Amino acid sequence: MNNLIFVGPPGSGKGTQANFLKKHDYRHISTGDLLREEVKSGTPLGEEINSIISKGDLVSDEIVGKLLRSNLDLDNHVYIFDGYPRNKNQARILKEIIGDKPFKVIVFDADLPKIMERICNRRLAPKSGEIYNLVSRPPKRDGFCDVSGEELIHREDDKIEIVENRFKVYGDTKSEIINFYGPSMTAYVDADKEPSVVYEELVKNIN
Ligand code: AP5
Ligand code: MG
């Protein structure tokens, strides 16, 4: 079973598809989620991270690398790396971490104006990890998670002007990540399709 590396713009559905794939025994590791956890803890490091995330910029490779390493157990689990790497240096770090374990890179191709709308309508349940959308996947009870009952949140970095910067940051580094791995390690999915169609395409490409 391959470890999976999800590369894609904000809102392209990386977290949504990772949640679908969990039934196949993958562990989902999202560096965005790990960073938000650190922010919640209110430590000086959390405050430093918050000042970067809230602008939509990338947190330093050193901080993210440390958080990632301390949350992995690659000898016993197969992972979906969601949102890591975000540049060539992080790709090098991940190469060292993964070693000779098998992996595949999945690139989520999406039309940015469409996904801007998705992001604005996204609501999250941080504890259960469920991802909702007011248009395409509304919760049964307005404002609350179907699974855990917790209150849903709207991410602070999901404001239009910050998302625009997140798109730019992704556009600036996408090619260096894709070039690092090369075509033989990489599959593309059309992330503009319905979630279930994206999932089918994904499952065909993960082995
Ligand atoms: P992160 O949390 O990783 O954000 P992101 O990469 O911008 O991606 P998103 O989580 O916004 O989108 P997604 O692709 O997961 O989409 P989702 O499934 O939720 O990172 C946040 C920040 O942390 C970064 O900006 C940076 O500051 C920092 N950071 C993180 N990793 C870092 C790293 N490695 N190095 C440095 N800094 C780092 O779906 C979105 C919405 O669309 C949902 O409402 C969903 O229901 C809906 N949806 C999903 N799929 C579909 C579909 N096919 N059709 C219709 N709607 C859909
Ligand atoms: Mg996500």
Side-chain angles (χ1 to χ4, degrees):
M1 205 163 142
N2 286 318
N3 290 281
L4 301 176
I5 297 173
F6 282 3
V7 176
S12 55
K14 304 180 297 292
T16 299
Q17 296 298 329
N19 279 351
F20 291 168
L21 275 176
K22 275 198 233 161
K23 63 177 178 242
H24 291 290
D25 280 346
Y26 291 95
R27 290 285 166 112
H28 174 206
I29 190 151
S30 150
T31 42
D33 288 344
L34 293 179
L35 290 164
R36 281 185 289 277
E37 279 298 309
E38 194 63 43
V39 170
K40 239 197 285 168
S41 70
T43 59
L45 177 64
E47 280 173 30
E48 185 188 334
I49 291 171
N50 193 30
S51 70
I52 300 165
I53 292 188
S54 58
K55 290 191 222 119
D57 291 330
L58 292 183
V59 176
S60 77
D61 296 346
E62 197 195 343
I63 293 175
V64 184
K66 257 193 211 156
L67 267 181
L68 183 73
R69 282 178 199 269
S70 61
N71 282 279
L72 282 178
D73 176 9
L74 271 158
D75 287 330
N76 294 304
H77 301 291
V78 180
Y79 285 90
I80 297 170
F81 293 89
D82 165 358
Y84 195 94
R86 303 243 181 182
N87 57 32
K88 193 170 163 188
N89 189 44
Q90 291 188 5
R92 285 202 201 98
I93 294 170
L94 188 58
K95 187 173 181 207
E96 191 194 305
I97 294 174
I98 288 190
D100 57 5
K101 307 232 165 21
F103 70 92
K104 186 99 188 252
V105 180
I106 308 285
V107 179
F108 287 64
D109 255 340
D111 177 49
L112 298 187
K114 265 193 205 165
I115 51 180
M116 174 64 91
E117 198 190 317
R118 286 186 196 172
I119 293 182
C120 293
N121 287 308
R122 169 169 55 192
R123 296 294 181 272
L124 287 179
K127 286 196 194 111
S128 69
E130 291 294 312
I131 302 169
Y132 296 92
N133 190 282
L134 299 181
V135 177
S136 58
R137 190 180 183 245
K140 290 189 184 105
R141 184 158 71 106
D142 199 19
F144 295 90
C145 177
D146 299 348
V147 177
S148 61
E150 72 193 282
E151 203 164 342
L152 301 179
I153 61 151
H154 189 198
R155 263 168 58 177
E156 299 242 349
D157 62 344
D158 279 353
K159 297 189 187 95
I160 289 183
E161 59 282 11
I162 299 163
V163 178
E164 273 166 359
N165 187 45
R166 286 162 59 201
F167 282 164
K168 181 184 174 305
V169 169
Y170 177 74
D172 288 347
T173 53
K174 175 188 171 182
S175 317
E176 65 187 73
I177 304 167
I178 294 174
N179 292 340
F180 181 89
Y181 293 108
S184 65
M185 305 305 297
T186 308
Y188 289 78
V189 293
D190 180 355
D192 287 337
K193 302 249 172 73
E194 288 292 304
S196 60
V197 178
V198 180
Y199 180 68
E200 273 172 34
E201 212 180 311
L202 192 56
V203 168
K204 280 188 211 147
N205 280 293
I206 54 180
N207 295 310

